[in-house]
Amino acid sequence: MSKSIADLHKKLEAEKNIHTDFKDNMTYGEYLSLDSILSSQNRLSGHHDEMLFIVIHQVSELWMKLTLHEMTAAIKAINEGQMQSAFKMLARVTKIQSQIIQAWDVLSTMTPAEYLEFRDDLGKASGFQSYQYRLIEFALGYKTAHILKIYEKDPAVHEMLEKAYHAPSIYDVAIQALSRAGFAINPDLLTRDYSQTYAGDPTVAAAWEEVYRNVDKYWELYQLAEKLVDVEDWLQQWRFRHMKTVERIIGFKVGTGGSSGVNYLKQVLDHRFFPELWDLRTKL
């Protein structure tokens, strides 16, 4: 027997315990509900590239689901003073964001002519209507009341968004953490209307500056601040790639959902979720 055949026999022997009978056991596909997932790419046209369009958006929604899972848990952890747990969750969020950003690179392989072949079949459906993306914005503190009307068709989704709209953002709980650490935070911020987008406050700016000037003393708060900057940085990179991909494929046309398309996406690039954490870089 040759050495290569003998090696093959050894490898097969090593894998003799691989399970092959699943009549009474759960399979990988059953655990992941693959039948449901892989049968959900329902093209409305016969065009080849519509499959790409659907899969990219579905994959992005799955990543957003995981982002929300981690963000919600991080908010709870910060509230409870479990900072190290929150840091792990936020670090994972930034890795997820890098995956979503790369999805735009795949979608950008579709040309304007190819997209036009099935764009009209989308009707008024648009990524602008992604309720998970709105939940992420709400969790980061960007609250927009007029957006809620989009989701009235689905009472369960609308209720979920309403709850998130009035809940404290991750930056609100970070500010509360500053207060618990002894910083003189404006008391109105600790009981404010969380449905209003945070616009900045001098007491918060002063607290973060003190944290950055005394890193050893406020190490956990410093770590928290940098994790928040990471999340916002990656989100803005996602927004930029989104804007450039849309511009590359449809130019400055109005979006299928009725937004101004590229012009709208450019406007949101100017919004800052954690203003003091960016301003202090100039002050230091």
Side-chain angles (χ1 to χ4, degrees):
M1 183 183 297
S2 69
K3 184 177 184 302
S4 60
I5 294 176
D7 289 343
L8 177 60
H9 278 296
K10 285 181 181 179
K11 289 177 181 177
L12 292 173
E13 182 66 18
E15 304 299 342
K16 67 181 181 180
N17 292 322
I18 290 177
H19 298 293
T20 57
D21 184 357
F22 287 92
K23 291 177 182 177
D24 299 313
N25 293 286
M26 178 177 63
T27 66
Y28 169 83
E30 289 169 339
Y31 174 66
L32 295 177
S33 301
L34 288 182
D35 282 350
S36 175
I37 293 172
L38 298 179
S39 62
S40 297
Q41 292 71 49
N42 303 309
R43 288 185 291 169
L44 298 178
S45 74
H47 195 272
H48 175 83
D49 279 14
E50 190 182 356
M51 180 64 76
L52 164 67
F53 190 81
I54 293 171
V55 169
I56 288 296
H57 286 84
Q58 288 181 338
V59 167
S60 295
E61 289 291 336
L62 284 171
W63 281 128
M64 282 191 273
K65 181 172 184 175
L66 184 55
T67 295
L68 286 165
H69 178 71
E70 300 296 338
M71 287 282 294
T72 301
I75 289 172
K76 183 174 184 290
I78 295 167
N79 245 335
E80 296 174 352
Q82 303 296 321
M83 292 297 193
Q84 294 303 317
S85 295
F87 299 158
K88 175 65 181 293
M89 295 160 188
L90 293 176
R92 182 174 291 161
V93 167
T94 60
K95 293 298 183 182
I96 296 167
Q97 289 173 307
S98 71
Q99 294 299 309
I100 300 180
I101 290 168
Q102 289 179 31
W104 294 122
D105 295 336
V106 182
L107 186 59
S108 67
T109 63
M110 183 169 61
T111 68
E114 289 163 344
Y115 182 49
L116 285 174
E117 290 291 329
F118 63 88
R119 186 175 191 247
D120 288 345
D121 293 300
L122 302 179
K124 295 180 180 179
S126 166
F128 185 82
Q129 297 146 17
S130 168
Y131 71 84
Q132 290 199 123
Y133 178 70
R134 298 304 171 188
L135 286 171
I136 291 171
E137 285 190 330
F138 288 178
L140 293 173
Y142 184 50
K143 307 292 181 76
T144 44
H146 69 280
I147 291 296
L148 294 174
K149 186 171 178 58
I150 294 172
Y151 309 98
E152 290 177 351
K153 181 178 181 178
D154 188 331
V157 169
H158 189 267
E159 182 181 356
M160 180 169 47
L161 282 158
E162 277 277 5
K163 182 178 179 181
Y165 180 69
H166 292 284
S169 71
I170 196 165
Y171 199 50
D172 288 314
V173 297
I175 291 172
Q176 291 164 12
L178 288 171
S179 178
R180 289 195 300 271
F183 289 99
I185 300 298
N186 178 356
D188 291 341
L189 294 180
L190 307 178
T191 57
R192 76 184 193 88
D193 179 0
Y194 298 122
S195 69
Q196 301 298 308
T197 297
Y198 179 77
D201 186 275
T203 63
V204 174
W208 284 128
E209 185 174 350
E210 181 69 15
V211 167
Y212 273 72
R213 292 191 185 280
N214 295 276
V215 171
D216 291 341
K217 182 177 180 181
Y218 300 111
W219 177 242
E220 282 198 334
L221 288 170
Y222 172 72
Q223 284 184 290
L224 174 59
E226 285 299 293
K227 287 290 186 290
L228 292 177
V229 170
D230 285 343
V231 169
E232 178 165 353
D233 188 353
W234 280 101
L235 184 74
Q236 293 292 45
Q237 290 185 53
W238 179 89
R239 282 174 160 179
F240 179 79
R241 287 298 297 127
H242 184 189
M243 182 269 292
K244 294 306 293 183
T245 302
V246 171
E247 183 178 0
R248 175 173 178 157
I249 296 175
I250 69 167
F252 285 80
K253 292 186 183 75
V254 172
T256 51
S259 75
S260 59
V262 170
N263 286 326
Y264 169 79
L265 296 173
K266 283 185 175 180
Q267 289 170 19
V268 296
L269 280 171
D270 291 331
H271 175 76
R272 296 190 302 172
F273 295 96
F274 317 130
E276 292 90 356
L277 294 180
W278 293 100
D279 289 340
L280 70 79
R281 277 143 170 83
T282 305
K283 294 179 181 178
L284 290 176

